[in-house]
Amino acid sequence: MAPALYWIRRDLRLADNPALSAAARDGRPVVPVFIHAPDEAGAWPPGGASQWWLHHSLHALATDLAGHGLRLVIRRGGSLAALESLIDATGAEAVHWNRLYEPALMARDTAIKARLRARGIDVHSHNAGLLHEPWTVQTGSGGDYKAFTPFWRACRRQAEPAAPLPVPADLQAPAGAERLAGALPAAPDGDDPLGALQLLPRPDWAGGLRQRWQPGERGAAQRLEDFLAAPLAAYDDGRDLPAVAGTSCLSPHLHFGEIGPRQVWQAVQATLARHGAEGGLVQGAESFLAEIGWREFAHHVLYHHPDFPDAPLNPRFADFPWQADPGGRLLGAWQRGETGIPLVDAGMRELYATGWMHNRVRMVVGSFLVKNLRLPWQAGEAWFWDTLVDADLASNSLGWQWVAGSGADAAPYFRVFNPVRQGERFDPDGDYVGHWIPALAAVPAKYRHAPWQAPAGVLADAGLRLGVDYPPPLVDLKASRQAALAAFEQIKKPA
């Protein structure tokens, strides 16, 4: 049989992989290929943290493929040229891939599919990344949804997601596969094709990422297993507490396709079937699945509004009077976690150290940037894109436009989070702040979220010198809130 190419993108797993299963159908030999072509992502090539994750996830996938007798081929440069070169080298008669939904990549894939079919190649794309693809969920009038709740309600009315696919039972490599240029050895080192992609940071800043994460299909499965074993039952409350391991942390694994949403859905349902309604399991499961729904909603919005990552969905926000920031002083302080607002700074330091930030804190740091500092949401979106291991164009855009008030599911009012009140409510003992800002660890919890309000004696006892060990607030929270509300009034009504 002529072989089939399995074009790997962000589907770095063997189980529940429709493209891999289709490529291997009827015993056809399979050539798995990853093509590094960041320029084809348009204005949004992978950021630094994403590249780190990709390197290690590809390493894990190459090892798993080798265990099934397949060698991962790595190419760089134009995707079409790389695929055509491999077709010529192997005699492949079919190409399979799993779909991506970013506008630039969809346009690329459409063009490649047309070109290969014109050559007589059997080309198929598949859904591995979503429960419901963006065009399959419509309003009663056939349009797209702008709010999450009716969107998710419509999703829940649809048929249950299909059962996940097993790993293909009999994967076979074509004869001579080991001679393909760029075939990755089972134990890659710095001189292999993966190392040649230069995805790892130089100088190395990723020690905290290595300590926290295990990229790859096994890491994703373990993360899901650990979450279902305990945090799921308390998820409804625990997901809001940044000092508690109350969330799944599956977002980077889902983004890179090391686990699929169908697998997550089935695992949650199986957990419910085993344990019934004990404790808060049912409510926790519903809340968690709704978070999977938000990921679906983000892709739905991006598909229907391809300029969503760059332009406000509400056009009035295009005229929002942002504050000038000569030299980037305000933005730089926010990025470094030196704003003098403890919950904001703790979140930004966690982000830089680990490539991740708790979702509650993401909302708070976003609100502070856009509302209190009055800097454009696109600046925060770009920083998150570079530093988050789960940087996803759809979800990142949705989150920042939600915080700005300019996007889908926006509040009917101009929401401004108070970071001190948020800290007191969701980090009441100050454990999260104390962990990420050691200078505040000895400050009593009563003052840890607003150390500038503490009496001088309390600060002295804690060994804290404001302005030396920790900065004073970059802005006055009350005054900056009023300035943000006044700015919103300028665009609130059409001229």
Side-chain angles (χ1 to χ4, degrees):
M1 257 189 202
L5 301 186
Y6 159 45
W7 180 15
I8 299 165
R9 291 103 75 77
R10 290 201 307 270
D11 47 352
L12 303 174
R13 65 182 188 267
L14 302 186
D16 193 32
N17 190 322
L20 175 61
S21 295
R25 190 169 295 135
D26 302 323
R28 184 185 295 272
V30 176
V31 179
V33 54
F34 176 82
I35 305 167
H36 186 55
D39 292 347
E40 295 177 354
W44 297 95
S50 292
Q51 292 183 66
W52 175 88
W53 191 288
L54 177 60
H55 175 98
H56 292 287
S57 190
L58 283 170
H59 186 172
L61 179 64
T63 301
D64 292 342
L65 286 168
H68 289 269
L70 299 185
R71 295 171 68 85
L72 175 61
V73 176
I74 289 182
R75 296 289 177 90
R76 62 188 304 169
S79 295
L80 175 59
L83 290 171
E84 291 195 306
S85 174
L86 278 172
I87 289 169
D88 293 339
T90 64
E93 296 180 351
V95 180
H96 292 268
W97 66 72
N98 293 310
R99 286 188 282 273
L100 298 172
Y101 304 93
E102 291 85 350
L105 299 180
M106 289 183 67
R108 176 201 65 182
D109 292 350
T110 299
I112 289 177
K113 186 179 288 187
R115 165 64 182 172
L116 295 182
R117 283 181 173 170
R119 282 191 54 170
I121 304 298
D122 189 23
V123 185
H124 295 280
S125 61
H126 309 266
N127 172 27
L130 295 173
L131 298 175
H132 307 287
E133 292 187 283
W135 52 86
T136 65
V137 182
Q138 298 179 337
T139 64
S141 60
D144 60 292
Y145 285 94
K146 305 296 193 304
F148 170 73
T149 299
F151 167 81
W152 189 231
R153 191 180 297 126
C155 289
R156 297 303 299 267
R157 287 196 296 266
Q158 297 204 17
E160 281 287 304
L165 298 168
V167 178
D170 187 21
L171 291 172
Q172 300 180 46
E178 68 280 357
R179 295 190 299 272
L180 287 172
L184 193 65
D189 56 42
D191 296 324
D192 63 60
L194 178 55
L197 299 184
Q198 297 183 336
L199 297 170
L200 294 180
R202 295 178 176 84
D204 183 6
W205 44 255
L209 276 64
R210 286 193 297 272
Q211 183 177 358
R212 180 151 188 176
W213 302 103
Q214 181 191 347
E217 189 169 7
R218 287 185 179 85
Q222 187 63 57
R223 184 76 68 173
L224 177 60
E225 180 181 336
D226 292 344
F227 174 69
L228 296 178
L232 178 63
Y235 182 77
D236 208 36
D237 295 321
R239 61 178 170 160
D240 275 324
L241 307 176
V244 173
T247 63
S248 72
C249 293
L250 282 170
S251 50
H253 299 288
L254 282 163
H255 172 72
F256 284 95
E258 298 165 348
I259 195 169
R262 286 188 295 259
Q263 294 170 287
V264 175
W265 186 278
Q266 184 191 56
V268 170
Q269 302 303 330
T271 300
L272 288 172
R274 285 195 303 270
H275 300 286
E278 63 182 50
L281 194 59
V282 172
Q283 185 56 49
E286 283 298 314
S287 296
F288 174 63
L289 292 177
E291 293 301 314
I292 301 296
W294 273 101
R295 179 175 177 270
E296 302 272 318
F297 182 54
H299 283 281
H300 177 85
V301 174
L302 179 59
Y303 174 79
H304 289 283
H305 304 275
D307 61 348
F308 191 58
D310 305 298
L313 190 63
N314 182 340
R316 279 182 284 178
F317 276 82
D319 297 321
F320 190 85
W322 301 110
Q323 183 172 199
D325 185 23
R329 181 182 69 89
L330 299 176
L331 179 61
W334 178 81
Q335 291 171 337
R336 295 188 301 270
E338 296 176 356
T339 69
I341 308 297
L343 186 60
V344 172
D345 292 343
M348 298 307 294
R349 296 181 189 193
E350 179 188 26
L351 170 62
Y352 197 80
T354 70
W356 191 83
M357 188 194 302
H358 189 278
N359 189 59
R360 167 62 58 176
V361 186
R362 294 188 198 199
M363 293 189 287
V364 174
V365 305
S367 176
F368 183 81
L369 178 76
V370 175
K371 310 294 175 57
N372 298 99
L373 299 184
R374 237 170 63 244
L375 297 181
W377 57 268
Q378 292 93 335
E381 178 189 36
W383 184 251
F384 272 26
W385 182 256
D386 194 41
T387 54
L388 280 171
V389 292
D390 64 359
D392 180 273
L393 189 60
S395 295
N396 197 36
S397 305
L398 185 78
W400 276 101
Q401 289 226 41
W402 183 90
V403 163
S406 62
D409 211 65
Y413 53 90
F414 198 56
R415 179 191 288 110
V416 183
F417 283 101
N418 184 315
V420 174
R421 300 291 174 265
Q422 290 284 310
E424 292 170 344
R425 180 178 178 185
F426 297 110
D427 185 32
D429 297 323
D431 293 337
Y432 177 76
V433 163
H435 177 78
W436 290 108
I437 310 177
L440 299 180
V443 175
K446 179 180 178 181
Y447 299 107
R448 198 171 295 176
H449 290 287
W452 61 90
Q453 296 178 354
V458 171
L459 295 181
D461 290 343
L464 179 68
R465 297 165 297 170
L466 280 179
V468 178
D469 305 307
Y470 184 68
L474 194 60
V475 293
D476 179 272
L477 293 177
K478 182 177 180 180
S480 59
R481 178 180 184 275
Q482 292 302 319
L485 293 174
F488 176 65
E489 287 298 320
Q490 296 182 40
I491 65 163
K492 192 173 180 181
K493 295 180 180 179

